[in-house]
PDB file of all heavy atoms in Angstrom:
ATOM      1  N   CYS U  13     111.346 102.878 124.055  1.00  0.00           N
ATOM      2  CA  CYS U  13     109.960 102.905 124.450  1.00  0.00           C
ATOM      3  C   CYS U  13     109.783 102.995 125.999  1.00  0.00           C
ATOM      4  O   CYS U  13     110.750 102.787 126.726  1.00  0.00           O
ATOM      5  CB  CYS U  13     109.246 101.616 123.935  1.00  0.00           C
ATOM      6  SG  CYS U  13     110.009 100.090 124.342  1.00  0.00           S
ATOM      7  N   ASP U  14     108.515 103.147 126.381  1.00  0.00           N
ATOM      8  CA  ASP U  14     108.211 103.234 127.799  1.00  0.00           C
ATOM      9  C   ASP U  14     106.989 102.345 128.108  1.00  0.00           C
ATOM     10  O   ASP U  14     105.960 102.791 128.606  1.00  0.00           O
ATOM     11  CB  ASP U  14     107.948 104.649 128.244  1.00  0.00           C
ATOM     12  CG  ASP U  14     106.766 105.304 127.554  1.00  0.00           C
ATOM     13  OD1 ASP U  14     106.421 104.846 126.330  1.00  0.00           O
ATOM     14  OD2 ASP U  14     106.178 106.261 128.080  1.00  0.00           O
ATOM     15  N   PRO U  15     107.104 100.975 127.878  1.00  0.00           N
ATOM     16  CA  PRO U  15     105.920 100.112 127.969  1.00  0.00           C
ATOM     17  C   PRO U  15     105.354 100.143 129.384  1.00  0.00           C
ATOM     18  O   PRO U  15     106.012  99.843 130.403  1.00  0.00           O
ATOM     19  CB  PRO U  15     106.446  98.745 127.638  1.00  0.00           C
ATOM     20  CG  PRO U  15     107.917  98.820 127.769  1.00  0.00           C
ATOM     21  CD  PRO U  15     108.298 100.293 127.536  1.00  0.00           C
ATOM     22  N   ASP U  18     100.218 100.628 125.003  1.00  0.00           N
ATOM     23  CA  ASP U  18     100.306 100.726 123.549  1.00  0.00           C
ATOM     24  C   ASP U  18     101.677 100.456 123.025  1.00  0.00           C
ATOM     25  O   ASP U  18     101.865  99.952 121.909  1.00  0.00           O
ATOM     26  CB  ASP U  18      99.768 102.079 123.073  1.00  0.00           C
ATOM     27  CG  ASP U  18     100.500 103.260 123.615  1.00  0.00           C
ATOM     28  OD1 ASP U  18     100.978 103.171 124.776  1.00  0.00           O
ATOM     29  OD2 ASP U  18     100.631 104.310 122.910  1.00  0.00           O
ATOM     30  N   ASP U  19     102.731 100.736 123.868  1.00  0.00           N
ATOM     31  CA  ASP U  19     104.095 100.268 123.509  1.00  0.00           C
ATOM     32  C   ASP U  19     104.132  98.759 123.383  1.00  0.00           C
ATOM     33  O   ASP U  19     104.736  98.251 122.491  1.00  0.00           O
ATOM     34  CB  ASP U  19     105.090 100.714 124.585  1.00  0.00           C
ATOM     35  CG  ASP U  19     105.073 102.145 124.931  1.00  0.00           C
ATOM     36  OD1 ASP U  19     104.134 102.626 125.515  1.00  0.00           O
ATOM     37  OD2 ASP U  19     106.062 102.910 124.606  1.00  0.00           O
ATOM     38  N   ASN U  44     105.638 106.326 130.782  1.00  0.00           N
ATOM     39  CA  ASN U  44     104.288 105.900 131.268  1.00  0.00           C
ATOM     40  C   ASN U  44     104.312 105.511 132.768  1.00  0.00           C
ATOM     41  O   ASN U  44     103.411 105.829 133.514  1.00  0.00           O
ATOM     42  CB  ASN U  44     103.770 104.755 130.463  1.00  0.00           C
ATOM     43  CG  ASN U  44     103.334 105.189 129.089  1.00  0.00           C
ATOM     44  OD1 ASN U  44     102.693 106.190 128.898  1.00  0.00           O
ATOM     45  ND2 ASN U  44     103.667 104.382 128.059  1.00  0.00           N
ATOM     46  N   LEU U 134     108.953 105.556 121.038  1.00  0.00           N
ATOM     47  CA  LEU U 134     107.575 105.482 121.409  1.00  0.00           C
ATOM     48  C   LEU U 134     107.334 106.072 122.777  1.00  0.00           C
ATOM     49  O   LEU U 134     106.208 105.859 123.386  1.00  0.00           O
ATOM     50  CB  LEU U 134     107.137 104.014 121.445  1.00  0.00           C
ATOM     51  CG  LEU U 134     107.353 103.234 120.096  1.00  0.00           C
ATOM     52  CD1 LEU U 134     106.894 101.814 120.227  1.00  0.00           C
ATOM     53  CD2 LEU U 134     106.650 103.931 118.896  1.00  0.00           C
ATOM     54  N   GLY U 135     108.260 106.760 123.333  1.00  0.00           N
ATOM     55  CA  GLY U 135     108.168 107.374 124.632  1.00  0.00           C
ATOM     56  C   GLY U 135     108.874 108.717 124.666  1.00  0.00           C
ATOM     57  O   GLY U 135     109.231 109.259 123.576  1.00  0.00           O
ATOM     58  N   ASN U 176     104.378 112.337 125.550  1.00  0.00           N
ATOM     59  CA  ASN U 176     105.793 112.084 125.409  1.00  0.00           C
ATOM     60  C   ASN U 176     106.541 113.371 125.318  1.00  0.00           C
ATOM     61  O   ASN U 176     107.671 113.505 125.855  1.00  0.00           O
ATOM     62  CB  ASN U 176     106.060 111.245 124.141  1.00  0.00           C
ATOM     63  CG  ASN U 176     105.615 109.839 124.325  1.00  0.00           C
ATOM     64  OD1 ASN U 176     105.597 109.284 125.406  1.00  0.00           O
ATOM     65  ND2 ASN U 176     105.240 109.174 123.231  1.00  0.00           N
ATOM     66  N   ASP U 264     101.246 104.341 119.790  1.00  0.00           N
ATOM     67  CA  ASP U 264     102.525 103.792 119.408  1.00  0.00           C
ATOM     68  C   ASP U 264     102.409 102.752 118.270  1.00  0.00           C
ATOM     69  O   ASP U 264     103.289 102.716 117.373  1.00  0.00           O
ATOM     70  CB  ASP U 264     103.181 103.094 120.660  1.00  0.00           C
ATOM     71  CG  ASP U 264     103.546 104.075 121.721  1.00  0.00           C
ATOM     72  OD1 ASP U 264     103.676 105.299 121.417  1.00  0.00           O
ATOM     73  OD2 ASP U 264     103.712 103.720 122.887  1.00  0.00           O
TER      74      ASP U 264
HETATM   75 CA1   CA T   2     104.762 105.006 124.775  1.00  0.00          CA
END
Side-chain angles (χ1 to χ4, degrees):
C13 55
D14 60 336
D18 59 326
D19 305 70
N44 285 320
L134 306 178
N176 290 334
D264 293 340

